[in-house]
Amino acid sequence: MTGKILFLGGRPWRAGLDWTAPGPALSVSGIRREAALRGADLVVLRGPHGSRQTGCAEAGGGRAPSLAAALCRTLSGEKGVLLSLRLKDAGGASFWWVLGILGGAVAPGYGDQVHATEEDAGQAAVRLARLAGGREAFSLRAASADPGESAKILTRLLARGGMPGRAARFAWRCRPVRSLRSPLRIFLESVLFCAACGFFLPPAISSLSEQVDALTGRGKSGALALRAGEHPEKVFPPAWASLPETAAAGRSCLAGIYRAPRELSGWVFRRGACRTQSGNGGDPGVTLLLTYARTAASSYTGLPKDAAFQDSRPSEMTRRVPLPAAPGPGPDAWKTFLTKKDASARFLDLLQRAKARGGVRFRDPAKLTDGNGTSIACPWAAGAWNITGLQGDSLRDVFAALHDLPGFFLTELTVQGGSWTARGDAYAR
């Protein structure tokens, strides 16, 4: 949610904000609450003309973040806008910006987003079009893969829909959340300042300070509990978000093992294994590990480049091959997870149909403790599953069944001596 900072007309602009739904103007406490729920430390205090919204963002991602104005304000007077533009940030790196304005307001949550690839930007534009009932709902549409042309488009829109007046421009600038102060806090700070100057006795100062600290502690505690209740994936790390899609990963692994030669430069295939790898900022995928045993005809000099062996174990040769896989569900997939009982029952049915052995076990949900000592429980429980004794001709059906089990993810698949074993992570509510 950091977004991007870019420069147009010599001024910094911020693309990529998380906008609230249109509604009444938020108070300072309301803005702080929204920022806490969205993990933001910067806010835009006003939204497009005619709709009262608050845009949230993180401070990182470019120069002068507190001076940058929201880029979507260039089209604040339009009723329906759909943009998909490739731009360059303040550091010269290119990115894609997708903007969706419906009824004069930025589409909440995903109407002002930045993406790394054209494919992701295209998918985001399609989602916005579906939300509006079709592209015809947008009176202004523009798309460009050329950063120079995109900058010209925005510059023309800036000139056409400029906001006169210093006060109006300032209302669109991002401000640090910590700099926002409610009238009550300003009053309390004034009282504390007067007390420090000698207008109040030291015991009164101490008592008032303790009360302020207590109120602050309760506020932080309440914000954490509220955030965990509405967006638990932002409080409890969703480990599944970095794993590939189960069925695609399984099929990719199966195809890679079947394509592997059973004899290679005199070495004989012994064991195949696949391990899914997390995205970590990139595309999630699968790593294929092939193990070969030495024979009397084995060659050490005629091996492929991806082959390796250890001096301590010259009788075994391994190959490591990366395989593609489709990305898995996003962080909010926990909403689709089954209960522990239903997840276990459906997995046991899968085992019975596959005539295999295995099981699934869930751990107790993770917990956090807030500043007041109150325990906050994660709404999902993590666990692990395994299937042994699988035959190759039943694997595709098993992968299809796992795909229909929300919360079940493949992490490892191995074959040795014709017998297959699958393992993975499991999540349930």
Side-chain angles (χ1 to χ4, degrees):
M1 198 184 71
T2 55
K4 294 288 186 179
I5 299 292
L6 66 153
F7 282 82
L8 294 172
R11 291 184 177 180
W13 300 87
R14 178 175 288 274
L17 289 155
D18 189 6
W19 292 90
T20 63
L26 293 174
S27 63
V28 173
S29 60
I31 293 173
R32 286 182 176 276
R33 182 170 58 253
E34 284 293 334
L37 290 174
R38 298 164 189 265
D41 49 20
L42 282 174
V43 296
V44 176
L45 298 183
R46 287 178 58 185
H49 179 71
S51 62
R52 297 180 179 179
Q53 293 182 280
T54 297
C56 299
E58 295 176 9
R63 291 191 297 158
S66 62
L67 298 179
L71 186 58
C72 67
R73 77 90 160 162
T74 60
L75 301 165
S76 59
E78 302 289 342
K79 294 297 182 182
V81 178
L82 181 61
L83 297 184
S84 180
L85 303 175
R86 188 180 183 184
L87 300 163
K88 287 190 175 182
D89 62 18
S94 64
F95 67 95
W96 285 84
W97 180 50
V98 177
L99 172 68
I101 293 180
L102 299 171
V106 182
Y110 46 86
D112 182 6
Q113 286 189 330
V114 296
H115 302 276
T117 65
E118 184 176 6
E119 181 181 1
D120 292 342
Q123 293 175 356
V126 169
R127 287 196 298 269
L128 286 169
R130 288 176 179 172
L131 179 66
R135 292 179 178 268
E136 296 75 15
F138 301 100
S139 57
L140 175 58
R141 299 191 300 269
S144 174
D146 178 66
E149 179 63 26
S150 298
K152 291 180 181 178
I153 292 173
L154 290 175
T155 300
R156 289 195 298 267
L157 295 173
L158 275 170
R160 187 187 73 181
M163 293 174 61
R166 181 181 299 272
R169 288 197 301 269
F170 186 75
W172 282 90
R173 290 177 180 170
C174 294
R175 293 184 181 181
V177 177
R178 61 180 179 273
S179 70
L180 303 179
R181 298 185 300 171
S182 66
L184 176 60
R185 181 171 177 179
I186 294 174
F187 172 77
L188 290 177
E189 288 175 351
S190 300
V191 171
L192 288 175
F193 176 79
C194 293
C197 294
F199 285 96
F200 293 94
L201 295 175
I205 300 174
S206 177
S207 175
L208 182 58
S209 178
E210 291 175 359
Q211 293 177 24
V212 172
D213 290 341
L215 288 172
T216 304
R218 284 195 294 271
K220 291 180 179 179
S221 170
L224 178 62
L226 185 61
R227 186 181 181 192
E230 297 189 9
H231 297 281
E233 70 277 6
K234 295 184 179 181
V235 178
F236 300 94
W240 66 82
S242 60
L243 294 174
E245 195 275 322
T246 298
R251 290 193 298 267
S252 181
C253 177
L254 191 62
I257 291 179
Y258 279 147
R259 285 196 304 265
R262 291 317 187 245
E263 187 276 333
L264 185 63
S265 298
W267 297 78
V268 179
F269 179 82
R270 179 180 180 184
R271 181 173 182 269
C274 279
R275 294 188 179 94
T276 58
Q277 60 191 35
S278 60
N280 294 328
D283 294 330
V286 176
T287 299
L288 174 62
L289 301 173
L290 303 171
T291 304
Y292 290 79
R294 184 182 62 186
T295 68
S298 297
S299 170
Y300 286 93
T301 58
L303 296 175
K305 293 182 179 180
D306 58 9
F309 59 88
Q310 298 180 2
D311 294 339
S312 59
R313 300 183 64 182
S315 62
E316 186 176 279
M317 181 265 290
T318 59
R319 296 181 62 199
R320 184 182 296 267
V321 183
L323 300 175
D332 59 350
W334 63 273
K335 300 175 182 177
T336 66
F337 292 166
L338 305 173
T339 63
K340 290 183 184 180
K341 181 179 179 180
D342 289 343
S344 299
R346 290 177 60 175
F347 182 78
L348 293 175
D349 279 344
L350 185 159
L351 287 178
Q352 189 165 329
R353 291 195 303 271
K355 298 179 181 180
R357 302 178 303 277
V360 59
R361 178 173 294 182
F362 293 100
R363 300 183 294 274
D364 291 335
K367 293 183 178 180
L368 289 177
T369 303
D370 62 17
N372 289 338
T374 303
S375 180
I376 302 173
C378 179
W380 63 81
W385 60 268
N386 70 89
I387 307 176
T388 60
L390 284 167
Q391 299 302 311
D393 55 358
S394 66
L395 280 173
R396 292 188 178 275
D397 292 336
V398 170
F399 294 147
L402 287 172
H403 174 74
D404 295 332
L405 267 177
F408 281 70
F409 301 91
L410 179 71
T411 59
E412 184 178 7
L413 181 68
T414 61
V415 59
Q416 188 168 3
S419 179
W420 296 78
T421 299
R423 295 184 177 85
D425 296 336
Y427 299 89
R429 301 183 68 175

